Amino acid sequence: MEKIEKMATSGNEELKPVLITDPEEMRRRLNELRKEGKTVGLVPTMGALHYGHLSLAIAAKNETDVSVVSIFVNPTQFAPGEDFDKYPRTLDADLELLSQLGIDFVFAPSASAMYPAGFDASVHIGGVAKILEGECRPTHFDGVATVVLKLFNIVGPNIAYFGQKDFQQVAVVKKMVADLNVPVEIDMRPIIREKSGLAMSSRNEYLSAEERGQALVLSKALEKAEELIRSGVRDVSALYDEMKRVIETAPSAKIDYIYVADPDSLEEMERVAGNVVILLAVRVGATRLIDNRIVEPQR
Ligand code: PAF
């Protein structure tokens, strides 16, 4: 995190990314570069960039010839009544941060460029998209899969970078890529946390100072679970009870789910056997936060 902070604020000589809003122009520009044998890395985002996003952009920059960050607050992944209108939009500040990193292109289309009048297609993912976030937000992952497939088709990345913070989203994208034979490598990068332990998220902006303090129960509960697994606890209901106890120390926190699963299949476990991912969704006041941790008991 300190390294990322340094890169983003080092006053590097700024290399402004080329800002493109038209999907066809984006495709054309990248086709030309691909013809020269260049590889392309894509970081799909909804903007309001924080160090979590920047860690992905740095990976794209370091590992591919042409780095592209897309910034698009995708309406189809928000249900009516969710925070689409209120979602932070900070394009100028985002461009400034990406300039510091030397990102090549920012693709920031309008909603009408992505979903012109008459648009009538959707990618539907079953199984892994139906549990957890999919249960709380039933239309969410079809919206994510649809826009991510469109971005893949427009940008044609060799590698696409996603944050572990949205662990289930990465599982859904991987499933889409596998089932629909999309020729892209999906690279999931670790969660970037504030010094306090709070996982970085654009939605943290909604928290008051008081709620920010209370939101620390998510990372503390995950830490506690890891500690218990390392000390030999294998019974998932014992982990669940301890995590619940930690979360309930915050008066404004309300648990949506605590889920312990196989990290590959996302199948729920009753006993810890091998690596696990522990996923949490908790409302802190009016803000819904998610967090997770992968635990390798044998390490
Ligand atoms: O994680 C996000 O910011 C979004 O869900 C994504 C992947 C950019 C699709 O809109």
Side-chain angles (χ1 to χ4, degrees), residues 226 229-230 233-234 272-276 294-299:
E226 171 153 13
I229 293 173
R230 295 221 178 286
V233 175
R234 294 291 176 266
V272 174
N275 295 352
V276 291
I294 299 170
V295 182
E296 301 169 21
Q298 307 307 345
R299 218 188 46 195

Side-chain angles (χ1 to χ4, degrees), residues 192-240:
I192 305 292
R193 297 181 181 278
E194 294 182 1
K195 285 198 182 83
S196 63
L198 183 65
M200 292 210 174
S201 161
S202 308
R203 288 192 167 99
N204 292 349
E205 289 190 20
Y206 302 154
L207 297 167
S208 66
E210 162 68 22
E211 288 169 341
R212 242 173 204 272
Q214 295 200 27
L216 300 186
V217 293
L218 279 87
S219 56
K220 284 190 180 145
L222 291 168
E223 241 170 67
K224 182 75 197 172
E226 171 153 13
E227 200 182 295
L228 291 170
I229 293 173
R230 295 221 178 286
S231 72
V233 175
R234 294 291 176 266
D235 178 11
V236 165
S237 64
L239 298 177
Y240 182 93

Side-chain angles (χ1 to χ4, degrees), residues 44-46 53 72 74 77 87 140 144 147-148 162 166 169:
T45 82
M46 297 204 299
H53 296 116
F72 178 61
N74 173 38
Q77 68 190 72
Y87 199 86
H140 174 66
V144 170
V147 80
V148 169
F162 291 86
D166 294 298
Q169 168 170 277

